[in-house]
Structure formats: C-alpha cells, structure tokens
Amino acid sequence: MIETPYLLFLGDAPDQLAAKVAVGIKDWRPENAVGQYRMDDCKADLGLTDMTLTEAKEAGAKTLVIGVANRGGVISQEWKKVLVMALEEGFDLASGLHNLLRDEPDLVAVAEATGQKLHDVRVPEVDYPIANGKKRKGKRCLAVGTDCSVGKMYTAMAMDAEMRKRGMKSTFRATGQTGILITGDGVPLDAVIADFMAGSIEWLTPDNDDDHWDLIEGQGSLFHVSYSGVTMALIHGGQPDALILSHEPTREHMRGLPTYQQPSLETLHDTALALAKVANPDCQVVGVSVNTQHMSEEDAIAYLATIEADMGLPATDPFRFGSGKLVDALAAM
Amino acid sequence: MIETPYLLFLGDAPDQLAAKVAVGIKDWRPENAVGQYRMDDCKADLGLTDMTLTEAKEAGAKTLVIGVANRGGVISQEWKKVLVMALEEGFDLASGLHNLLRDEPDLVAVAEATGQKLHDVRVPEVDYPIANGKKRKGKRCLAVGTDCSVGKMYTAMAMDAEMRKRGMKSTFRATGQTGILITGDGVPLDAVIADFMAGSIEWLTPDNDDDHWDLIEGQGSLFHVSYSGVTMALIHGGQPDALILSHEPTREHMRGLPTYQQPSLETLHDTALALAKVANPDCQVVGVSVNTQHMSEEDAIAYLATIEADMGLPATDPFRFGSGKLVDALAAM
C-alpha cells in the first residue's frame, strides 16, 4: 500500500514525544527507515543518519513519512517547502495527521504534476466488502482489552517480532494509523463505514498457510461504550483462534469515561470468548498482557504471578519482560 | 430534518412490493402522506388520492419522497422529468436509493437553482460526536434480535403507536433508511463512520422527560458477524432501560450466513443484557417479540405460550396479536 523504505520526516518536533510515530517505525521496522530528515529547530532525534532528500533517494527511500505531530492542526509553510521538494524529488508522502494531505491544494497539485502519491492513512483507500463469515485458513490472534490504550498494539507487535525471531510464520495486521505507517499497510478501522467494519478485517486477514499467524492489532474495548462496536467488529471479522487479554491495572476509571469502571479480567475473559465463539467455536483465551508501566518491578512481578494463579493463564508485560510466554502459548496450540 | 408532509412518488412500480417504503409511510405515519404520484404504468396503489404536483403543493406537501425501488440502480429519464418538475414546483426530494440524488448533476443543478433540498437518507447529514457515555434523562427501549431482519423496526413502530394511543410519551427513533423516510428524521447508522456510531445514537436519543420513552430501531444482531458492531454501538450508545428480544423461529440459519445458527433466546437474553448493563446497570429484558409470519395461528399461539413459560417474559407477535403486552411491560417499569 505505502511503498517502503521510508525517509522519516521529523520536521520541527519540539521534543521526542512529538515524533512518536517515527519512533515506532524505527523500533518495530528499522528496515523501513533509511534515515531521518530534521529541520533546523528539530528537538527529536531517532539516532538515524540525517539525510537530505537527494541522499535518501540515493539510499533507496521511496516515501517521506510524516513521523511527527504538527502544531495546531495546520501543515505549516515551512513543512510545505520540504514536502513539495520531496514530491519533486520523486517521493510519495504518507501521513497520519488529522488535517489531510489531500486537503492541501498545493500538495495535490504538485503530486498530480509529478505523479507521486499522497497517503492519508486515517482515510480508507479500499472499498471493503461486507463480511461473509466464511472460515479462513491460517491462524489469527487478537488482543482484547479491559479498556482502550492498554497496550494492545504493542502486545501484537512484540509477539510478531518474537515469532519471526523464532522462525514462526507471522504477520502484524495494523488496524490504526500508527500501525499502518509502521508497516506500510492495514485498515484504518475507526474511519471505516459501519456496515463494512467486519468485512474490512476479513479483507485484512485472508486465507493463509495453516501454520501462519496473523497478529491483529486490537482497538477499543467491549467495555468502552464509545468504541465497543469497533471491538466487536474485530472479534467477528477477525474470527480469532486465540485471544490475549490486555489490561492496565492502575486505571481509576475507563479512559475518558469518569463514571465507568474497568471490568475484571474474568469478566473480559468470559464476555470476549463467548462472542468470539460465534465466529470461531474453537477460539481460546491463551494469555494475559499487562501494562505495568505505573508499577514497580517488584509489584509488577507479584501482580503477574497473582494473575497466573487466578486465571490459569500465562501473564507478562511484553515491554518489560518480553512476549515469550504469550508466543509459547500460541506455539503450543 | 426532512420537511413533512409528503407527496409519495410511486413512479413506475412494477408491483406493490416495490413500493415498500411508501407503504411503510402510509401505514405508520398517514398524517405525513397527503397523496400519491403515479406514472402511467405504475402497478402499485396505496389507496391515497392521486395528485399532480400542483395539487399536492396546494394540499400542503413539502417533500416528494421516492417511495419505490428503482430498476437496475439507475434513476431513469422518465423519473427525472417528474423529479425536476417537483424541484421547480418547490418540493424538496428525499430518497433512500443506493444511487444518490446528489450524484445526478441535473438534479443538483436544478436543486441549486430553485433553492430546494436533496435528501439522500442513506448518507449521514450530521457530524456526530464520539459517545461520552453520560447518563441521560428519560427512558429508552431497544429491540435486539437473534438475527437480522426479524422484525425489530416493526416492533418499535408498533410499540410507539400503541403508547401514543394510550397517551404515553414516546418517540420512535429511526436508525435505518426506511424508518428515516417514514418519520422524516433519524440516523442512517449503517453508513456512519465507526468511531461515531455510539455517539450518533446518543445524539439521536437525548435527555427527555422522565416518563418519556425513546423506542430505538434495532439493527443487525450481536450474533450476526457482518453487522454485530453496529448492534453493539446501539446497545452502548442507546443505554437502554428496557430490551425486547426479537426472534423469527423458522429460520434455518443466520440471514446470509449459511453455516451460522441463530442463538437461543436465552443466549441472546444473557449476552445482550450483560453488555447493556455496561452502559446502564438498571437495564432489564422486558419482553419477547416473535415474527410468526411463517407459522399457523395455532402454532404461533402455542409457540408464544412456550416462550412465556420458559422465559418468564411476556411474548407476542406485534403484527399478528398487537404490541399491547410489550407496552404493558414498559408501563409497569
């Protein structure tokens, strides 16, 4: 979908956090990042080679990816200069910004004149089908959360990396803009029309080898009333063979919903599994992924041990302790 | 949203079934239908007064509603003649056709010149918010089905009519194109962007009097993998106080999914109620609505009696036996 490898545009990022998307690409798909492009007052640094557009082109880069959030929702004139030059040098552009490249008449005009592509990964570029529910070959794993933003993408990314390290067949399947920019492909599920949500996930995870795993990026939560429909479509469109439960134990309420409490892991287990069995009666819950970033290491270890004892499932924080236990569980299926 | 009352355009309908939308308007909102417009070879007849555009205008009609399916997905030149004249006579146009009025340059040009509106009810006309989950005043009832197309709209329409007859405060809240054309307002939920589904239902069913009931039109089914995400958004965005279970007992498999079986009413009860309690802990299942159209009257009565005994809930076929039992259940809450 998006041609790789990339030159990562960091612009005038005020700090490293603003370049979150670029950091994600460099961490998870270093082979997609031939270098970084920083403007004079850029405060972020990925530790990649600083390149001019010409140098990056010579090094094989195909797409300039905007790996940084812009200020105030406006693509500034300073950025524009670089973006226009990049198009003229033969780069495609890719962006996950709210304000779309395609809404900037000057970028559109230059892209047309040069024959280069503008990828706004927040906007679907495919006419997805309505889901048909047909059983597909190959295996699929989906992380479902007690809440939004508890580490579902990270879990799937980490499992995919571990599986490839072990020589297992796996593919991370992105369903959000960051994941799409990292891998160059995927479905921007939150922007898909309601009737086609489940179908877009079927499209994303087609027939595959019997021993191949799709690691599907989760979204939302069945217990988050703003986004639960999106989660439901992932469960039924993805027809997962394996579910991972994702949790962040220190939240005081559901993200953005002060009067809503997180469900217990047991409630999530039973609810998600029953719904998943509608599409795949053989589905199993195989492990728990806990985001322990707000806990001490000692507390994290104790918490994971309690979960393992209570739930009878392997539990880990993939960022802190690796995803090996979860991959072991998939390998054992 | 759509100005009422209507002149119902039946075009060259080959039979009564093709005029399904117009029949729905005449059955459920006769006060919205001042007359019918039939072309020479029209085989449908609503029993309304046949009117010219001028006569309908004089009788107060504001909008010409296309109450008939077109052939081959093309708005024919014969239809166009009438539609253009209607715009010039001062009518707005409203349509639920797949091919949109707004995609016809001649209609757009005449609408602009005359200042009239083109309503394509398949396409959202509102920027819906993301759901905030806040508790709203007033009461809400939602029908959830074991499958798609089991009579959820009919159930809500029939309950709304019965409640108004009894002097109760109620509003039918349309979530599909037929319902929107019938009532002139609503959310075309299947066409809403994923992130805004639940928010669109919050928008549709705002704060109201404590003794007012919104009868929300259900869509899809939690057990239909193509559309379950839409159903989920209705349950969480609608935060219903009361659920009605809808069922069609003679189906051999889920609609359009030959390898999927319908769940039992008990499974639907437990699954839907548990999910509804996330948004509204006081939610109750209050009754069962059965579509018995493929059963003899004797079988239907026996079936409903069995359901009542097994589930401990009032059960009726609102089309055949009226919706009184279901309204009694709401009134008793």
Side-chain angles (χ1 to χ4, degrees):
Chain A
M1 192 173 162
I2 303 174
E3 276 209 90
T4 57
Y6 304 149
L7 174 62
L8 300 179
F9 176 74
L10 304 187
D12 46 4
D15 52 36
Q16 193 79 355
L17 196 63
K20 200 172 64 164
V21 168
V23 171
I25 294 170
K26 185 226 160 197
D27 283 355
W28 294 111
R29 291 289 183 275
E31 69 275 22
N32 281 356
V34 303
Q36 63 185 16
Y37 185 103
R38 302 194 299 157
M39 288 161 57
D40 284 346
D41 43 356
C42 182
K43 304 283 191 304
D45 185 355
L46 304 174
L48 297 173
T49 311
D50 284 299
M51 291 185 177
T52 64
L53 294 169
T54 313
E55 286 164 351
K57 196 76 201 161
E58 277 164 14
K62 299 278 199 296
T63 302
L64 181 81
V65 171
I66 298 180
V68 56
N70 57 336
R71 305 183 213 199
V74 177
I75 300 178
S76 68
Q77 214 43 52
E78 289 69 41
W79 283 28
K80 282 270 183 75
K81 269 201 241 168
V82 182
L83 302 182
V84 165
M85 275 197 305
L87 289 168
E88 283 174 350
E89 293 274 344
F91 287 89
D92 292 340
L93 302 183
S95 160
L97 300 177
H98 268 292
N99 46 324
L100 305 180
L101 300 175
R102 71 185 64 177
D103 289 342
E104 303 293 326
D106 44 356
L107 296 181
V108 171
V110 180
E112 274 173 15
T114 57
Q116 299 305 130
K117 287 189 186 134
L118 303 180
H119 295 286
D120 290 300
V121 300
R122 281 182 187 270
V123 183
E125 294 188 338
V126 172
D127 285 333
Y128 303 113
I130 287 177
N132 62 33
K134 285 185 189 150
K135 178 76 187 157
R136 306 192 293 289
K137 287 185 189 148
K139 301 220 171 280
R140 283 154 202 91
C141 176
L142 173 68
V144 291
T146 51
D147 195 356
C148 299
S149 309
V150 291
K152 295 184 297 290
M153 184 183 92
Y154 192 98
T155 300
M157 280 286 195
M159 290 177 70
D160 175 50
E162 173 72 15
M163 290 171 86
R164 294 200 289 174
K165 211 170 80 185
R166 294 190 191 184
M168 295 170 72
K169 294 181 193 167
S170 85
T171 309
F172 172 83
R173 299 295 190 181
T175 62
Q177 67 217 20
T178 305
I180 295 171
L181 284 174
I182 291 174
T183 60
D185 207 350
V187 168
L189 185 57
D190 62 7
V192 171
I193 299 280
D195 250 6
F196 305 99
M197 293 186 299
S200 75
I201 302 304
E202 291 189 347
W203 175 90
L204 182 66
T205 60
D207 274 324
N208 216 316
D209 296 344
D210 288 339
D211 57 346
H212 177 277
W213 281 93
D214 278 331
L215 282 305
I216 306 171
E217 181 188 354
Q219 296 290 342
S221 164
L222 289 170
F223 296 86
H224 194 295
V225 296
S226 310
Y227 308 115
S228 52
V230 177
T231 312
M232 185 79 256
L234 274 163
I235 292 175
H236 282 169
Q239 53 183 226
D241 302 274
L243 293 175
I244 307 281
L245 309 181
S246 290
H247 186 49
E248 205 284 58
T250 69
R251 294 261 172 98
E252 291 183 359
H253 57 73
M254 296 291 283
R255 189 176 163 89
L257 304 175
T259 64
Y260 288 75
Q261 299 306 307
Q262 284 182 281
S264 69
L265 278 167
E266 286 77 7
T267 300
L268 173 63
H269 177 289
D270 294 351
T271 306
L273 185 58
L275 291 167
K277 281 175 179 283
V278 171
N280 184 352
D282 297 328
C283 185
Q284 302 171 33
V285 176
V286 298
V288 183
S289 169
V290 183
N291 178 341
T292 65
Q293 66 176 315
H294 298 299
M295 303 168 85
S296 71
E297 179 150 337
E298 195 182 10
D299 286 352
I301 290 169
Y303 183 84
L304 291 169
T306 308
I307 296 290
E308 293 199 336
D310 289 354
M311 312 269 309
L313 290 168
T316 186
D317 178 336
F319 184 80
R320 204 163 198 170
F321 306 115
S323 64
K325 278 186 182 183
L326 302 175
V327 171
D328 291 346
L330 289 193
M333 279 181 74
Chain B
M1 192 174 161
I2 304 173
E3 277 209 271
T4 56
Y6 305 148
L7 174 62
L8 300 179
F9 177 74
L10 304 187
D12 45 4
D15 52 36
Q16 193 79 355
L17 196 63
K20 200 172 63 162
V21 168
V23 171
I25 295 169
K26 185 226 161 198
D27 283 355
W28 294 111
R29 291 288 182 276
E31 69 275 21
N32 282 356
V34 304
Q36 63 186 15
Y37 185 104
R38 302 193 300 157
M39 288 161 58
D40 283 347
D41 43 357
C42 182
K43 303 284 192 303
D45 186 355
L46 304 175
L48 296 173
T49 310
D50 285 298
M51 291 186 178
T52 64
L53 294 169
T54 313
E55 287 164 350
K57 196 75 201 164
E58 277 163 13
K62 299 278 198 296
T63 302
L64 182 82
V65 171
I66 299 180
V68 58
N70 57 336
R71 305 183 213 200
V74 177
I75 300 178
S76 69
Q77 214 44 52
E78 289 70 39
W79 282 28
K80 283 269 184 78
K81 270 201 241 170
V82 182
L83 302 182
V84 165
M85 276 198 303
L87 289 168
E88 283 173 349
E89 293 274 344
F91 287 90
D92 292 340
L93 302 182
S95 159
L97 300 177
H98 269 290
N99 46 325
L100 305 179
L101 300 175
R102 70 185 64 177
D103 289 341
E104 304 292 325
D106 43 356
L107 295 181
V108 171
V110 179
E112 274 174 14
T114 57
Q116 300 304 130
K117 288 190 185 132
L118 303 179
H119 295 286
D120 290 300
V121 301
R122 281 182 188 269
V123 183
E125 294 188 339
V126 173
D127 285 333
Y128 302 113
I130 287 178
N132 62 33
K134 287 186 187 149
K135 178 75 185 156
R136 305 191 292 290
K137 288 184 187 148
K139 300 219 172 281
R140 284 155 202 89
C141 175
L142 173 69
V144 291
T146 51
D147 195 357
C148 298
S149 309
V150 291
K152 294 183 297 291
M153 183 184 93
Y154 192 96
T155 299
M157 281 285 195
M159 290 177 71
D160 175 50
E162 173 71 16
M163 291 171 86
R164 295 200 288 175
K165 212 170 80 186
R166 294 189 190 185
M168 296 171 72
K169 294 181 193 166
S170 85
T171 309
F172 172 82
R173 299 296 190 182
T175 63
Q177 68 219 18
T178 305
I180 295 172
L181 285 174
I182 291 174
T183 61
D185 207 349
V187 168
L189 185 57
D190 62 6
V192 172
I193 300 280
D195 250 5
F196 304 99
M197 293 187 299
S200 75
I201 302 305
E202 291 188 347
W203 175 91
L204 182 66
T205 61
D207 274 325
N208 216 316
D209 295 343
D210 287 339
D211 57 346
H212 176 278
W213 280 94
D214 278 331
L215 282 305
I216 306 172
E217 181 188 353
Q219 296 291 342
S221 164
L222 288 171
F223 297 86
H224 195 295
V225 296
S226 309
Y227 307 115
S228 52
V230 178
T231 312
M232 185 78 258
L234 274 162
I235 292 174
H236 282 168
Q239 53 181 228
D241 302 275
L243 293 175
I244 306 282
L245 309 180
S246 290
H247 186 51
E248 205 285 57
T250 69
R251 294 261 171 97
E252 291 183 358
H253 58 72
M254 295 291 283
R255 189 174 162 91
L257 304 175
T259 64
Y260 288 75
Q261 299 307 305
Q262 284 183 281
S264 68
L265 278 167
E266 286 77 7
T267 299
L268 173 63
H269 177 289
D270 295 351
T271 305
L273 185 58
L275 291 167
K277 281 175 179 285
V278 171
N280 184 352
D282 297 328
C283 185
Q284 301 171 34
V285 177
V286 299
V288 184
S289 169
V290 184
N291 178 342
T292 65
Q293 67 176 314
H294 299 298
M295 303 167 87
S296 70
E297 180 150 335
E298 194 182 11
D299 286 352
I301 290 168
Y303 184 83
L304 292 169
T306 308
I307 296 290
E308 293 199 335
D310 288 354
M311 311 269 310
L313 291 168
T316 186
D317 179 335
F319 184 80
R320 205 164 196 170
F321 306 116
S323 63
K325 278 187 184 183
L326 302 176
V327 172
D328 291 346
L330 289 194
M333 278 181 74

